[in-house]
Amino acid sequence: NGIEGLFVPCGTFDVNNFMFSSRWFLNYGFSVSAHLQVLSMKLKNVSWRPGAGNNLTGFDGNVTDDFVAAVEAAGDINLYNWERHGIGDIAAIVWWEQDFVQARPLLKNVNLGARAGLLLPTGKKADENVMLGVPFGNGGGAGLLFGGTLEMNFCYNFMFGVDAELTYFFGQTYNRRI
């Protein structure tokens, strides 16, 4: 019925993400930037509990732990605590940004910007042998990004803006265990 034998993992998923960035300004509003993530992920304090509505009796902590350990052994997978460190994908971006000063009573300035970049697959791939072993980036696929910005300054104190970014990733789609 989808409820009997259902177990729910509980734990703490801790992610720390640091970004190293460098930007070089060129002429005519152009600039070039590079960005690299350094990540640390940790899954800790994992416990397994019978799911809501699980009416099997006698599933105390020891039986649940024994069952999860049997699943780990059969599937060659870690369903408890783990820790991973590494770098993410590198992003190289070309930017253009320009201010257009306005001589109007309400609208004082319009800022337009555009950007395009390349995402290079340097990050760690997903770890299929741990629960929630997500990739440090886009899973080994390169990508392209395009974006734009429109900002309007009104009376020097109020700003309205819109920013959009589209990303396309090259790569493969495949099934994962978890």
Side-chain angles (χ1 to χ4, degrees), residues 14-88:
D14 185 25
V15 179
N16 293 304
N17 180 10
F18 300 98
M19 176 79 73
F20 292 103
S21 296
S22 184
R23 193 165 178 176
W24 300 273
F25 290 91
L26 308 171
N27 295 330
Y28 307 107
F30 284 95
S31 62
V32 178
S33 66
H35 311 272
L36 175 67
Q37 293 177 315
V38 177
L39 295 125
S40 171
M41 291 186 184
K42 186 186 304 184
L43 183 63
K44 58 186 178 181
N45 303 324
V46 176
S47 64
W48 289 83
R49 300 180 187 144
N54 187 347
N55 57 9
L56 295 176
T57 58
F59 272 87
D60 59 6
N62 290 337
V63 173
T64 302
D65 290 340
D66 291 344
F67 176 75
V68 174
V71 171
E72 279 186 315
D76 192 26
I77 188 169
N78 179 5
L79 298 175
Y80 284 99
N81 303 334
W82 57 262
E83 190 170 342
R84 295 177 70 205
H85 307 281
I87 62 171

Side-chain angles (χ1 to χ4, degrees), residues 112-175:
L112 290 176
R115 61 190 174 276
L118 181 62
L119 302 169
L120 304 171
T122 57
K124 275 188 170 182
K125 293 185 180 179
D127 187 352
E128 298 290 331
N129 296 319
V130 298
M131 179 173 54
L132 296 176
V134 298
F136 288 4
N138 304 307
L144 298 174
L145 68 87
F146 302 95
T149 302
L150 169 65
E151 294 176 348
M152 295 177 284
N153 293 344
F154 297 94
C155 302
Y156 297 108
N157 294 324
F158 178 73
M159 182 175 74
F160 174 78
V162 176
D163 185 89
E165 186 168 288
L166 304 171
T167 307
Y168 180 80
F169 295 108
F170 302 98
Q172 300 174 4
T173 302
Y174 56 93
N175 294 327

